[in-house]
Amino acid sequence: MSLAVAAIKIAALRSLKGRTSAGEAVFDSAVEPFDALRDEGAPVIVIYCDSGKRQVTGRELFSAPQVIELSIDMFVAQAVTVDAGETEIRIPASDEGNEVYLRSLAYEIEKVLLAETTVWPALFRRLWFRTGPQDFCEWDRGAIADKGRRLALLRAIYKVEPIAEPIPGAEPTGVWADLLTAMEADVELEGIARYWSQLIAGTVTPDWQQAWVALGLTSVQSIGLGPILEDPAPDENAPPLAGATLTFPGGAFEANEHSANDALGPQEP
């Protein structure tokens, strides 16, 4: 539904690919990964983001806080050989062995996403603004059944509040600029990076028009947001404007640093 959701999935997938005992078997929303790989039974990680919700005020979609469900499925159906420092050990394909391995793989995943300092895990953490308020991270063991037999599956669901969407017409900065740079350096993602750059800032617009878009205003509501054509000579000794009260029939609005930050939506720390 949004670039922020797609971005956090891309960052999670690129972070985990080749960085856990599942190796390169990390997929983005595979439809039937378990049916396709069950014969081999090697460890598989699948990343989904199929649901979420936005807290929208008026028409402020781009800056609206949203909470998404980032789901990570882990599956195994064979003995697994893992690194144990100076040696390797083999975890058997038994109920107990599968249980131990899946819990260990879940720890591996969180270790990569939250502790590694390489490019993609760092981008993932910057895109993850915070955990959804008053929500738990959920997990479910054996969430998929196969002909009445519980599979060796562990599903972890993280309620994530991503950062706000990039404002159309504004040149990407901060994490969005760094994300596009990392995508451009990836052969599989460079085309998407060019597409997103054009989508976000193909036509750069003035700051006042970006604010108009961010707030979801119509042309009638936004009268006065444009530049004053006959602006008098500025007083160089005048202090900078820190805030203003806008009055209108039926109420007033205080424009200051705090209300401006609220309009921008969740930003990286």
Side-chain angles (χ1 to χ4, degrees), residues 25-266:
V26 182
F27 301 94
D28 177 1
S29 303
V31 178
E32 291 292 348
F34 310 121
D35 287 342
L37 299 172
R38 185 175 293 134
D39 290 341
E40 298 178 5
V44 175
I45 297 172
V46 186
I47 301 170
Y48 300 87
C49 188
D50 293 339
S51 63
K53 55 187 177 182
R54 272 178 170 173
Q55 183 181 345
V56 180
T57 301
R59 289 187 292 272
E60 299 176 30
L61 286 176
F62 293 107
S63 59
Q66 63 178 323
V67 176
I68 63 175
E69 291 192 355
L70 180 67
S71 301
I72 300 179
D73 283 356
M74 294 150 275
F75 170 81
V76 67
Q78 70 173 24
V80 181
T81 301
V82 294
D83 182 9
E86 296 180 356
T87 185
E88 292 183 339
I89 64 169
R90 189 167 178 80
I91 301 176
S94 61
D95 287 345
E96 182 181 12
N98 291 337
E99 173 78 14
V100 169
Y101 175 71
L102 288 173
R103 300 293 180 187
S104 303
L105 180 58
Y107 183 84
E108 282 187 73
I109 289 170
E110 293 184 347
K111 179 182 176 183
V112 169
L113 294 177
L114 299 180
E116 284 202 1
T117 57
T118 49
V119 172
W120 284 109
L123 283 171
F124 174 82
R125 293 191 293 272
R126 292 170 67 189
L127 290 164
W128 181 348
F129 176 62
R130 63 183 175 188
T131 301
Q134 299 179 349
D135 270 323
F136 295 95
C137 292
E138 303 173 358
W139 60 267
D140 191 350
R141 172 75 170 85
I144 297 177
D146 179 22
K147 298 178 181 178
R149 179 170 57 90
R150 191 175 75 162
L151 299 180
L153 170 78
L154 178 62
R155 172 172 294 160
I157 302 175
Y158 303 89
K159 305 294 181 72
V160 174
E161 183 177 345
I163 63 170
E165 302 292 325
I167 300 301
E171 198 67 38
T173 59
V175 66
W176 285 107
D178 294 342
L179 173 70
L180 291 173
T181 299
M183 291 173 66
E184 288 169 359
D186 188 305
V187 175
E188 295 180 1
L189 298 176
E190 58 180 346
I192 298 175
R194 291 196 301 271
Y195 168 50
W196 281 9
S197 296
Q198 177 67 24
L199 190 64
I200 298 168
T203 302
V204 177
T205 57
D207 291 348
W208 64 269
Q209 194 169 344
Q210 295 170 24
W212 166 18
V213 173
L215 295 171
L217 301 177
T218 66
S219 57
V220 174
Q221 291 173 313
S222 59
I223 290 176
L225 286 177
I228 300 174
L229 298 180
E230 298 181 0
D231 193 11
D235 181 357
E236 296 182 356
N237 297 320
L241 181 65
T245 301
L246 310 178
T247 59
F248 50 87
F253 175 75
E254 186 70 26
N256 53 39
E257 179 184 1
H258 299 295
S259 58
N261 286 337
D262 289 341
L264 288 174

